[in-house]
Amino acid sequence: VCDSITSLLESDPSFLHEFTIVVATQLPQHTLRKLALACSEQSLPLVVLRSYGLVGLVRIAAGEHVVTEDHADNAPSDLRVAAPFPELLAYAATHFADPESMSIVERKHIPYAVLLLIVLKQYKDAHGGALPTTYKEKQEIKA
C-alpha cells in the first residue's frame, strides 16, 4: 500500500476488511488513534511498532478475549465417601475404629478417604444423618 493510512481510512473505511491483522510502524499519535479506532470497530488486532535507535516499542491492541478456565484437569476424584462401598466401610471399621486412641505416628498413616469417612460420620451424627449440601457446610467438614 503506497497511500497514507489516513487518506485510505477517510476515502475507503472498508479498506481494512481484507486483512486479519494490521501492523503499523513509526506513525504519528493522531494517525494511530484513527487506525486503532478503525481496527477496533472491525475487531482487527493492531500491532504498533516504534523504534528509537537501538530501543524499540511493541504495543498490541486487540479486542477483549475472555478466557474461562473450567479446571477440567483438576476434577475432584470420587472418593465414594457419600455412598461408600462395603469393603471401604469394613476396612475403616477394622483398622481405624478409634482414631482418638491412636498415637500421632499411627494417625499420620490413616488414608485420606478413611479420614473423610470418619469426619462425615461425625457430621451426619450432628446433623440428623444429612449430608452437607452448601459450600459452607462442605468447608465445615474440611476444617
Side-chain angles (χ1 to χ4, degrees), residues 29-50:
Q29 198 61 245
H30 67 278
T31 305
L32 275 177
R33 283 192 193 119
K34 291 178 185 176
L35 182 59
L37 181 63
C39 287
S40 71
E41 288 173 353
Q42 297 178 33
S43 299
L44 284 173
L46 171 65
V47 179
V48 178
L49 306 167
R50 185 174 298 270

Side-chain angles (χ1 to χ4, degrees), residues 61-72:
E64 182 178 342
H65 180 78
V66 178
V67 176
T68 304
E69 189 172 338
D70 63 357
H71 300 286

Side-chain angles (χ1 to χ4, degrees), residues 26 50-56:
Q26 302 299 106
R50 185 174 298 270
S51 64
Y52 305 98
L54 295 175
V55 178

Side-chain angles (χ1 to χ4, degrees), residues 5-133:
I5 190 67
T6 307
S7 62
L8 276 173
L9 289 175
E10 289 172 1
S11 64
D12 185 16
S14 65
F15 170 74
L16 296 175
H17 282 296
E18 61 185 271
F19 301 103
T20 56
I21 190 169
V22 176
V23 179
T25 61
Q26 302 299 106
L27 290 178
Q29 198 61 245
H30 67 278
T31 305
L32 275 177
R33 283 192 193 119
K34 291 178 185 176
L35 182 59
L37 181 63
C39 287
S40 71
E41 288 173 353
Q42 297 178 33
S43 299
L44 284 173
L46 171 65
V47 179
V48 178
L49 306 167
R50 185 174 298 270
S51 64
Y52 305 98
L54 295 175
V55 178
L57 167 84
V58 176
R59 178 172 284 165
I60 300 173
E64 182 178 342
H65 180 78
V66 178
V67 176
T68 304
E69 189 172 338
D70 63 357
H71 300 286
D73 295 340
N74 300 330
S77 301
D78 183 8
L79 299 176
R80 313 289 298 177
V81 293
F85 48 93
E87 293 83 1
L88 182 58
L89 286 174
Y91 175 76
T94 305
H95 295 87
F96 310 102
D98 187 19
E100 299 297 324
S101 65
M102 299 174 129
S103 71
I104 292 177
V105 174
E106 291 173 321
R107 279 192 215 170
K108 289 181 181 180
H109 294 284
I110 299 176
Y112 185 68
V114 173
L115 286 174
L116 286 176
L117 279 177
I118 293 168
V119 173
L120 189 60
K121 182 180 181 318
Q122 292 170 353
Y123 182 88
K124 283 178 161 182
D125 293 344
H127 293 86
L131 290 172
T133 54

